[in-house]
């Protein structure tokens, strides 16, 4: 892909797929393309609008499917940051907004891959993955005392 609008259009396609198909990986792929689109700049306002509407629409489905592994707040806020990244003129803030979006992309990929491994035929790998859960991240007390 050679320009931001190509990446943005691809991101919109993945967001559409997230509404009816595998939401976690499709949303992660959409975020990947949105981050790259912003890097190119000069984005088509109608594509920005399409992406923004879809980011808002997909949030409840992604939050439901990632429940217990990624907080709903993180999903909603970071999907909001994805829209903000497409529209912000604050050059100093943009890299940090993109970092938050990229972090959600990584978290969504992680949940998707953990689910795939757990459902797969390799019981030993599934066992190790199940024992190294991200649940500790959501505990109130520190992991190391």
């Amino acid at each position: 892909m050679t320009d931001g609008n190509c990446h943005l259009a691809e991101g919109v396609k993945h967001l559409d797929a997230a509404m009816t198909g595998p939401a976690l990986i499709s949303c992660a792929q959409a975020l990947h393309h949105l981050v790259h689109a912003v890097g190119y700049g000069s984005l088509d306002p109608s594509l920005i609008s399409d992406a923004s509407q879809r980011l808002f629409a997909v949030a409840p489905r992604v939050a439901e499917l990632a429940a217990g592994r990624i907080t709903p707040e993180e999903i909603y806020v970071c999907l909001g940051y994805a829209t903000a990244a497409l529209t912000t003129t604050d050059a100093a803030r943009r890299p940090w907004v993109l970092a938050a979006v990229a972090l959600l992309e990584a978290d969504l990929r992680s949940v998707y891959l953990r689910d795939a491994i757990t459902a797969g035929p390799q019981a030993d790998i599934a066992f190790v993955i199940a024992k190294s859960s991200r649940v500790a991240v959501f505990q109130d007390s520190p992991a190391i005392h």
Side-chain angles (χ1 to χ4, degrees), residues 1-131:
M1 297 197 184
T2 58
D3 71 23
N5 288 317
C6 289
H7 275 288
L8 192 51
E10 193 66 24
V12 168
K13 288 179 190 174
H14 286 292
L15 288 169
D16 285 341
M19 291 301 296
T20 57
L24 300 181
I25 194 64
S26 295
C27 187
Q29 291 168 326
L31 295 176
H32 174 83
H33 284 289
L34 295 178
V35 167
H36 286 284
V38 170
Y40 282 103
S42 299
L43 300 175
D44 180 337
S46 67
L47 282 174
I48 291 172
S49 177
D50 290 347
S52 178
Q53 290 171 6
R54 285 164 175 82
L55 286 163
F56 179 78
V58 79
R61 184 157 195 257
V62 171
E64 178 183 343
L65 293 172
R69 296 163 305 166
I70 304 173
T71 66
E73 295 82 7
E74 179 182 355
I75 291 168
Y76 280 92
V77 169
C78 289
L79 291 178
Y81 285 150
T83 295
L86 294 170
T87 59
T88 187
T89 57
D90 186 348
R93 184 167 167 80
R94 186 178 298 115
W96 301 106
V97 171
L98 289 173
V101 173
L103 187 58
L104 178 59
E105 175 199 344
D107 287 346
L108 291 171
R109 287 183 190 279
S110 175
V111 170
Y112 171 80
L113 291 170
R114 286 176 183 279
D115 287 352
I117 290 169
T118 301
Q122 303 299 318
D124 60 326
I125 298 172
F127 177 78
V128 170
I129 292 301
K131 293 296 180 185

